[in-house]
Amino acid sequence: QVQLVESGGGLVQAGGSLRLSCAASGRAVGTYAMGWFRQAPGKEREFVAAISSSGAVTSYADSVKGRFTISRANAKNTVYLQMNRLKPEDTALYYCAAGVVFTSTRDYHYWGQGTQVTVSS
């Protein structure tokens, strides 16, 4: 069993930056692929970024490529999402997820409760 707790969300102006963190407890996060997803009101949950268990491979949604960076510190059981040049359309509840397969689909076994990101124009 893995528990995931996101933090770092908040209110920021367009063009600003935030860094989200996902702290994992239970089984070592280093054995799982990790992903970030987001869900805006009235919309489906969508893929943002993923990182392999070793950190060697990453994947991004086209909408965030070049602005967001996913990374992980397995010694700290933590995954990060650095978000730069934020846009109002990035406003959403951001979820961290852990799974055995590195994927951009929602096929992750464990999910956090989410952290709200609001970008004002």
Side-chain angles (χ1 to χ4, degrees):
Q1 191 74 12
V2 174
Q3 292 79 43
L4 304 172
V5 179
E6 303 95 335
S7 62
L11 173 64
V12 64
Q13 287 189 330
S17 298
L18 283 174
R19 187 175 82 155
L20 305 184
S21 298
C22 173
S25 60
R27 188 175 177 183
V29 74
T31 65
Y32 287 90
M34 302 293 293
W36 284 98
F37 291 75
R38 66 187 183 187
Q39 187 167 17
K43 293 189 176 181
E44 296 274 324
R45 189 172 299 188
E46 65 175 3
F47 169 74
V48 175
I51 189 166
S52 62
S53 57
S54 68
V57 183
T58 58
S59 177
Y60 297 92
D62 287 343
S63 59
V64 307
K65 205 170 291 184
R67 299 188 298 123
F68 291 10
T69 303
I70 189 171
S71 61
R72 64 191 302 158
N74 285 346
K76 297 181 179 180
N77 281 0
T78 302
V79 176
Y80 304 98
L81 185 69
Q82 178 66 43
M83 306 186 296
N84 298 328
R85 304 200 311 274
L86 282 160
K87 304 176 181 180
E89 50 263 45
D90 294 319
T91 295
L93 189 60
Y94 281 71
Y95 296 91
C96 173
V100 297
V101 177
F102 173 74
T103 178
S104 61
T105 70
R106 284 178 281 184
D107 271 343
Y108 285 82
H109 293 79
Y110 304 105
W111 292 83
Q113 294 299 305
T115 184
Q116 178 68 38
V117 172
T118 303
V119 184
S120 63
S121 57

